[in-house]
Amino acid sequence: MAANREQFGSRLGFILAAAGSAVGIGNIVGFPVAATKNGGGAFLLIYALMVALLCLPIMMAEFAVGRTTKKDPLGAFEQLSDNSRGWSIAGFLCLLTPFMIAVFYTVITVWIFGYLYNAFIGNLDKLAQPEYFGEFINNGTIFIHMIIVACIVVAILISGVQKGIERAAKILMPALLFMLVGLMIFVLTLDGAFEGVKYFLIPDIDKIDASVISAALSQAFFSLSLGMGTLITYGSYMSRKTNLPDSAKLVALADTAVAFIAGLLIIPAIFSFNPNTDTEQLSDSSVSLIFNFLPKIFLALETTVGYIGASIVATVFFLLVFFAAITSLVSLVEVPVSGLMGKKSYSRRKSLTILITIIISLSFICATSFGMLDFFTKFLHYAGADKSFFDLVVDIFYDTILPLNGFMVSILVIYRWKKHNFNVEMEHADAPYHGTLLERYVDFSLGTIIPFILAVIFINTVGIKFFGTNLLF
């Protein structure tokens, strides 16, 4: 199977696809929200340090695991651990995680598509109404939107790595960046926007505390798609001739650049459109900002560019977020598709048909968890509150499991696969990597600092999400 495994056709294609897997709603909206609520420039400074010092080594490890095994996360863990049962379970968890994330991510992508459609047809005033979002997510039309989104994902994935994933990345990622920069330039010309730029770029060191550091680390880890299995899978499609360390750096840089530009779009927009906004009252939820807050500030543009102009700006923004969501969703679905192809020797078409059917079925259930069906709306009770089926999926597979998966990758690479073998893979197309400060730091951090921090984050997240207890702050 390894000999016949598909590969990306070019280094650029790999970088765009890997960056596309990382760039998503968390970059476009989640990062600006986290920055706004955590001191602006202070958060940005800590975020950049976390990406360079903690996240980049994990990304390099995931790429190396994928490329050396030419397998999905389950197959890679089994091969590097000599089919150890414990490591097989860990590999399966790294395979299950993106599958379940794809379930709730599909629902959010459907909502974005619905708002994109309504902004395009001129219903911006309706989107800005406080009650509209609640009505929209409980309207049966979202299931039609879900089928459309599923068809787009299938159309990309059915064509394989080069003709599907790589080709889509080469179109969507430049288009996404073009729209993002264009919208950012427009926002920066508005009155009051410069106050947002200062808040975002000038760090107030006094605002750096334990909570800001924790928020920056969590955002960086989630933003780069670490622990989701996507980077292992995309690494398995990586050519042996590709310089792995430099490619990882470029992917991290591209992902961080998108988050940075998004910050220069959203934060100045908040200060310009609503100067009296209390940043402490902004919801922690990216979903809330996208669907409740931003339509209002887009509608506020009517006084300067007219209703049609405001609708165009809103349409471009939702198209931007939709592209980001699709690139992430494609990579999430590709992981279990790759796993089923490797484990059962199924064709890509058969694997995709089976998995997309299950994902859509579970996404239908998630979509009914907001009042449409009471059983799934109040599915469980924990941490002192009723939780929907959607909440359960997010709490387990997005908020909690990712640090655990990153912890297991670090331990696997350094203590099971051994750092010598890891470094041989890293040096394969990059002899200058041997003996460098980067090599020594990556080896040290993956074996000590990173697994410790991720273990602490995992334990604290379990306490917060399922027992309502913050063990650290």
Side-chain angles (χ1 to χ4, degrees):
M1 293 298 294
N4 298 322
R5 193 160 183 85
E6 297 177 272
Q7 286 190 355
F8 288 108
S10 64
R11 185 188 182 200
L12 175 63
F14 164 75
I15 292 171
L16 289 176
S21 75
V23 171
I25 299 172
N27 297 75
I28 306 298
V29 184
F31 174 83
V33 169
T36 304
K37 292 182 68 65
N38 289 281
F43 176 88
L44 177 63
L45 175 62
I46 300 300
Y47 178 88
L49 290 174
M50 292 301 173
V51 169
L53 298 178
L54 299 180
C55 296
L56 182 60
I58 304 177
M59 176 179 288
M60 294 165 69
E62 293 197 20
F63 281 149
V65 166
R67 191 172 72 171
T68 198
T69 61
K70 293 297 180 183
K71 292 181 179 179
D72 59 90
L74 175 57
F77 273 62
E78 289 179 337
Q79 179 174 319
L80 296 182
S81 67
D82 296 323
N83 291 307
S84 166
R85 180 172 176 80
W87 283 111
S88 294
I89 294 173
F92 176 75
L93 190 58
C94 286
L95 202 63
L96 179 64
T97 299
F99 175 82
M100 293 305 297
I101 291 177
V103 169
F104 81 81
Y105 212 90
T106 296
V107 176
I108 298 175
T109 304
V110 167
W111 295 344
I112 294 168
F113 180 77
Y115 268 57
L116 167 62
Y117 172 74
N118 278 281
F120 178 74
I121 64 175
N123 287 339
L124 180 59
D125 54 343
K126 183 186 295 185
L127 300 183
Q129 295 173 5
E131 68 278 3
Y132 180 75
F133 180 64
E135 296 172 356
F136 170 73
I137 63 176
N138 285 299
N139 190 300
T141 57
I142 63 169
F143 298 114
I144 298 175
H145 296 324
M146 190 174 293
I147 297 301
I148 295 173
V149 168
C151 288
I152 294 173
V153 173
V154 170
I156 294 173
L157 289 177
I158 199 69
S159 299
V161 174
Q162 285 191 29
K163 295 181 179 179
I165 297 172
E166 184 173 350
R167 180 178 294 175
K170 286 182 175 179
I171 296 172
L172 295 180
M173 287 303 294
L176 186 154
L177 186 60
F178 176 79
M179 288 188 294
L180 185 60
V181 171
L183 202 53
M184 177 199 70
I185 292 173
F186 169 75
V187 167
L188 292 180
T189 63
L190 300 175
D191 293 337
F194 189 65
E195 290 302 314
V197 174
K198 290 194 297 183
Y199 179 78
F200 181 52
L201 295 184
I202 302 177
D204 183 351
I205 304 301
D206 293 337
K207 292 184 178 180
I208 298 177
D209 55 22
S211 62
V212 170
I213 294 173
S214 177
L217 176 58
S218 297
Q219 179 64 35
F221 195 83
F222 298 149
S223 175
L224 289 166
S225 293
L226 302 176
M228 294 185 188
T230 55
L231 301 185
I232 294 177
T233 301
Y234 278 16
S236 73
Y237 301 141
M238 191 185 224
S239 169
R240 300 284 295 171
K241 298 178 181 179
T242 300
N243 184 308
L244 196 154
D246 282 355
S247 296
K249 293 174 192 175
L250 288 173
V251 172
L253 182 62
D255 180 82
T256 303
V258 170
F260 177 77
I261 297 172
L264 284 177
L265 163 63
I266 300 295
I267 296 176
I270 292 173
F271 277 76
S272 175
F273 297 152
N274 193 352
N276 297 319
T277 296
D278 183 354
T279 58
E280 293 300 319
Q281 294 181 355
L282 279 177
S283 171
D284 288 318
S285 169
S286 301
V287 171
S288 178
L289 187 74
I290 295 173
F291 301 110
N292 292 326
F293 186 76
L294 288 178
K296 296 177 185 178
I297 62 177
F298 287 139
L299 188 60
L301 277 174
E302 183 179 6
T303 57
T304 56
V305 297
Y307 186 79
I308 294 178
S311 296
I312 292 174
V313 172
T315 299
V316 171
F317 174 78
F318 284 113
L319 183 62
L320 167 68
V321 180
F322 181 68
F323 278 6
I326 284 293
T327 57
S328 292
L329 190 55
V330 163
S331 67
L332 289 168
V333 177
E334 174 63 15
V335 178
V337 167
S338 175
L340 199 55
M341 291 170 62
K343 196 67 177 177
K344 297 294 185 180
S345 298
Y346 290 165
S347 66
R348 171 171 287 273
R349 183 179 296 274
K350 182 176 180 179
S351 299
L352 185 56
T353 300
I354 293 171
L355 291 168
I356 204 70
T357 300
I358 300 173
I359 289 173
I360 291 300
S361 299
L362 292 175
S363 296
F364 267 58
I365 295 175
C366 278
T368 64
S369 299
F370 302 92
M372 195 177 298
L373 292 178
D374 192 62
F375 176 77
F376 293 116
T377 301
K378 298 179 179 180
F379 191 65
L380 286 176
H381 186 94
Y382 56 87
D386 289 329
K387 300 288 185 176
S388 67
F389 182 80
F390 182 94
D391 292 331
L392 180 66
V393 174
V394 174
D395 286 347
I396 293 176
F397 292 99
Y398 189 74
D399 289 331
T400 304
I401 294 298
L402 294 185
L404 177 62
N405 289 348
F407 170 84
M408 292 187 299
V409 169
S410 300
I411 298 300
L412 174 75
V413 166
I414 299 300
Y415 296 107
R416 183 72 190 203
W417 186 23
K418 304 298 183 183
K419 64 181 179 181
H420 167 73
N421 296 318
F422 167 60
N423 287 328
V424 168
E425 182 63 34
M426 294 296 294
E427 296 160 8
H428 185 78
D430 183 29
Y433 179 77
H434 178 68
T436 62
L437 179 62
L438 176 62
E439 180 187 54
R440 292 195 294 271
Y441 173 74
V442 170
D443 288 349
F444 172 74
S445 62
L446 282 175
T448 54
I449 300 172
I450 291 174
F452 173 76
I453 291 176
L454 295 181
V456 170
I457 292 176
F458 169 70
I459 293 170
N460 192 54
T461 304
V462 171
I464 294 173
K465 290 295 179 180
F466 299 99
F467 300 98
T469 303
N470 191 324
L471 304 176
L472 297 178
F473 311 116

